[in-house]
Amino acid sequence: MTEESNAHNRLNPRINGRSSLLRRIMRNVSMHKFIYLLVLPGLFQIIVFDYVPFYYLQVAFKKFNVFKGLEHSPWIGFQNFIDLFNSEYFVQAFKNTVIISLMQLLIGFFVPVVIAIMLNELRSRKFARVVQTTIYLPHFLSWVIIGGLFVTLLSPNGGVVNILLSWVGFEPIYFMASPGWFRWVLVFSEIWKNAGWESIIYLAAIVGIGQDQYESAIVDGASRFQRMVYITFPALIPTMLVVLLLKISNILRIFEQVFVMYNPVVSEISETLGTYVYQIGIRKGDLAFATAAGLFNSLVSLVLVLAANYIVKKIRGQSIV
């Protein structure tokens, strides 16, 4: 019986390999069961909210009828996308999304870097911790609270900003209802909310810089500014590239901020793809058209990420993802 079993094992090495791998996996799961239990909620969320919706993307290619259901709604191919690209409102929303996103990216990208470097250069650690705590706080406020705060601060009737402007001889400015100012309000509020929190990434990268580099620079007579320019900043470039790639992946996903601060007076320059999909899908009930718009948004984001990763690979010699 033993000889037959050995012969069977020799004839079936793949089966033995698979069973051995399965045993190792089960042993690993048994040894670290509590860690796997901690992973389960996040894994469940990814499956439910990231993978299951892939099945429903076919709505974008159908004339969806909620009463007929997904399976029985007629298939119309790319007609929703054709209608989407022919819609002047979509073109305007896409244009606004690109402009607002680029303004926030180009103006706000280096702010966390500057904050991190300045915090690192503070001599008083106690004061640095107070500053860190203060600038981190806005990140934990919802856009609803921040939107109400900015509406109050920028109000032409009693707003703090307009009161200060009146003291120096300027007329009140309707920031939230002025096409020339509203986008800048979006940019500033985004930076104010998230720049402090994003600086944590760069502070962590600064901590990883070898102190021997600073000591050698001090011996060579480098000033604090020179050490900051020639040691600290170059060491942050790899981290900056990773953060840039993450920002590019979300460059077209602007919704909460604009939705909270949005008003009809500035709709022409503030309607973004996110609010456009909300208006079409939720308010007007055209789920197929809204799904097509959302799918287009995601595809453009994917192309931008791949393009950015390709450019980084050409510059650095290795890709980020």
Side-chain angles (χ1 to χ4, degrees):
M1 189 70 178
T2 304
E3 292 180 357
E4 292 179 359
S5 177
N6 291 336
H8 179 75
N9 290 339
R10 286 195 299 271
L11 292 173
N12 298 277
R14 292 184 179 179
I15 297 176
N16 292 334
R18 290 173 182 174
S19 61
S20 176
L21 176 62
L22 182 61
R23 284 196 298 270
R24 287 199 301 271
I25 293 175
M26 296 304 297
R27 190 184 308 116
N28 186 277
V29 172
S30 177
M31 290 174 59
H32 305 95
K33 52 182 174 294
F34 293 110
I35 296 178
Y36 282 102
L37 284 174
L38 290 174
V39 171
L40 280 179
L43 183 62
F44 177 78
Q45 179 184 1
I46 291 174
I47 293 173
V48 172
F49 293 102
D50 292 335
Y51 286 98
V52 172
F54 274 107
Y55 174 75
Y56 296 95
L57 286 178
Q58 58 184 300
V59 173
F61 304 93
K62 292 189 172 187
K63 188 176 182 180
F64 181 70
N65 188 311
V66 68
F67 298 105
K68 292 182 179 180
L70 181 61
E71 298 297 334
H72 301 288
S73 295
W75 188 274
I76 59 173
F78 291 95
Q79 187 59 48
N80 284 323
F81 293 93
I82 295 173
D83 295 339
L84 183 70
F85 298 143
N86 289 331
S87 171
E88 60 176 314
Y89 298 106
F90 169 78
V91 174
Q92 185 64 43
F94 182 74
K95 176 183 175 182
N96 292 335
T97 304
V98 172
I99 292 175
I100 295 172
S101 298
L102 288 178
M103 288 175 66
Q104 291 180 343
L105 180 64
L106 296 176
I107 298 173
F109 180 73
F110 290 99
V111 175
V113 180
V114 174
I115 292 175
I117 294 175
M118 292 178 66
L119 288 173
N120 183 66
E121 294 298 323
L122 288 176
R123 297 181 184 274
S124 173
R125 292 294 92 190
K126 185 176 181 180
F127 178 68
R129 284 194 294 269
V130 172
V131 174
Q132 282 179 281
T133 304
T134 303
I135 62 177
Y136 293 167
L137 285 178
H139 175 77
F140 299 99
L141 301 177
S142 70
W143 277 115
V144 175
I145 296 174
I146 292 178
L149 180 63
F150 271 82
V151 168
T152 302
L153 291 175
L154 301 177
S155 172
N157 300 315
V160 174
V161 175
N162 276 301
I163 290 176
L164 295 176
L165 289 176
S166 65
W167 287 353
V168 294
F170 289 96
E171 294 293 326
I173 300 175
Y174 291 77
F175 290 98
M176 304 300 292
S178 172
W181 284 101
F182 185 76
R183 284 175 178 167
W184 292 105
V185 173
L186 294 177
V187 172
F188 179 80
S189 59
E190 165 67 21
I191 295 173
W192 180 77
K193 184 179 189 296
N194 294 317
W197 180 256
E198 292 174 0
S199 67
I200 295 177
I201 301 174
Y202 299 110
L203 283 170
I206 290 173
V207 172
I209 301 174
Q211 292 300 313
D212 55 329
Q213 299 184 51
Y214 292 104
E215 293 171 359
S216 300
I218 292 173
V219 171
D220 292 337
S223 63
R224 290 176 66 89
F225 181 77
Q226 290 173 324
R227 297 197 298 271
M228 182 172 58
V229 172
Y230 295 107
I231 298 178
T232 305
F233 184 76
L236 293 178
I237 291 178
T239 304
M240 292 169 62
L241 292 175
V242 174
V243 173
L244 178 63
L245 188 64
L246 294 174
K247 282 184 171 292
I248 289 176
S249 66
N250 294 312
I251 195 170
L252 299 180
R253 298 182 180 180
I254 305 175
F255 176 70
E256 292 182 16
Q257 180 190 17
V258 178
F259 181 73
V260 169
M261 297 184 176
Y262 176 90
N263 66 80
V265 179
V266 291
S267 61
E268 186 177 346
I269 57 96
S270 64
E271 183 83 76
T272 63
L273 286 177
T275 56
Y276 180 74
V277 170
Y278 170 80
Q279 297 284 352
I280 298 297
I282 303 300
R283 291 196 170 182
K284 295 185 178 180
D286 193 344
L287 298 179
F289 195 77
T291 304
L295 181 58
F296 172 79
N297 191 349
S298 299
L299 290 176
V300 172
S301 298
L302 176 62
V303 171
L304 289 174
V305 170
L306 294 177
N309 189 61
Y310 177 80
I311 294 172
V312 170
K313 184 178 181 180
K314 287 294 183 180
I315 296 174
R316 297 181 61 204
Q318 60 181 12
S319 62
I320 298 175
V321 295

